[in-house]
Amino acid sequence: MKTKRVFIGIFGRRNNGKSSLVNALAGQDVAIVSDVAGTTTDPVRKSMEIFGIGPVVLVDTAGIDDVGELGRQRVRKSIEALKTVDAAILVLTHNVFDEPEQEIIRQFKTYEVPFVIVHNKSDEEPMSNTLKSELGKWSVPIVECASNTKKGIDELITALVKTVPESAHQPDTLVGDLIADGDEVCLVMPQDGEAPEGRLILPQVQVIRDLLDNHAIAVAVQPEELENYLSTRKPKLIITDSQVFAAVSKIVPAEVPLTSFSIILSRAKGNFELFLKGTSAIGNLRDGDHILMMESCTHVSSCEDIGRHKIPTLLQKVTGKRLQFDFVAALEPLPEHLENYALAIQCGGCMVTKKQLRNRVAQLSDQGIPVTNYGMTIAYLTGIFARVTEMF
Ligand code: SF4
């Protein structure tokens, strides 16, 4: 099976050589390197291979000590990036270890990001024994580097190999645990006016790829062909676009397991149980309640119609409540006052990693806001919630 790309974030003060460290690891000019403090603003991502780790994305972030309103926004973006990485490098120089460094370590701990500490520019000033013993309390690898001369880079790579957790490499199987080699799985994929021209949407592509990886037989039909197909075949499982749940559930015999692409994705991303629980909050909605719709597309949304129109319309129609909807896309920061929301509804999240989605959803669940997803919401509203979730 294919290995997953590992995300490694690089954090530290302005002008302490983070960007040249990225370049030393990547072996090329990726980030802008300058002696002027604060050259990196938005996180800069670079894909590369590191021997011993495999494919990685290095995420170079702005300085954690940035000042002013713009500076605070940059620090906020760096913290957002921190929530999405599998491991991190905290870069220090000139034996400076103070509040910004302690705060970023607190964030590593909160978001369970394993990290390595690098004392960079050691050719200018080596690390003192006092700092060494202070950092010892974190029990993490500490490496002395001079990134401009690549001194210490091999030691850093060795430390990263030990630090990146095994789980960061493991591909998320979508259906591998539900089927055996040779099983036939039917995918119901409407290609209507809302479907993108000339291609399939990513959740469908990912499920097909996963079925092939697991040596299953993938059969794709549009809803119109489903009845005819089922007259001669009995698939092990049917996965449908949740938009056609109502029609499909009437056709599929009760003994054939049925679910949707977004419910399958919620299992792989590790939010299934939380969404399962959160769905019941639909029954408690009241007039005027605010709902947060979260779609994780990193560019043009492939599920815009379902998230922006179909679910809001269906939700109000079935509950009979007048509801207010807010929308957030990709990994943009969530609204400040999450306590204002009665419910959040997340898309399948096919374009983001497990960790990115988990940390995003945790910001709501930590405040007691119920969260569900597109597929479970439609299933609940069409009265087939138990049927499409009971097999898990
Ligand atoms: S990230 Fe979400 S909205 Fe975008 S294609 Fe995937 S499931 Fe749909």
Side-chain angles (χ1 to χ4, degrees), residues 269-287:
K269 305 278 179 185
N271 294 301
F272 181 78
E273 295 296 333
L274 184 86
F275 292 169
L276 208 57
K277 219 168 118 207
T279 310
S280 60
I282 296 173
N284 304 328
L285 291 174
R286 294 175 305 186
D287 275 332

Side-chain angles (χ1 to χ4, degrees), residues 120-179:
N120 200 16
K121 302 191 181 181
S122 284
D123 50 338
E124 292 174 14
E125 182 178 327
M127 183 164 31
S128 69
N129 286 335
T130 316
L131 181 62
K132 240 181 236 169
S133 69
E134 188 179 350
L135 298 180
K137 72 176 175 203
W138 299 109
S139 304
V140 299
I142 301 166
V143 183
E144 287 228 53
C145 276
S147 52
N148 54 344
T149 62
K150 299 200 176 176
K151 180 178 164 280
I153 294 300
D154 288 346
E155 290 83 350
L156 173 57
I157 290 175
T158 306
L160 284 172
V161 170
K162 287 188 194 144
T163 302
V164 171
E166 191 54 39
S167 59
H169 298 282
Q170 286 161 0
D172 306 318
T173 182
L174 297 172
V175 291
D177 58 328
L178 300 174
I179 53 167

Side-chain angles (χ1 to χ4, degrees), residues 203 295-297 301-303 347-351:
E295 54 185 26
S296 301
C297 271
S301 172
S302 297
C303 307
C347 75
C350 68
M351 293 191 186

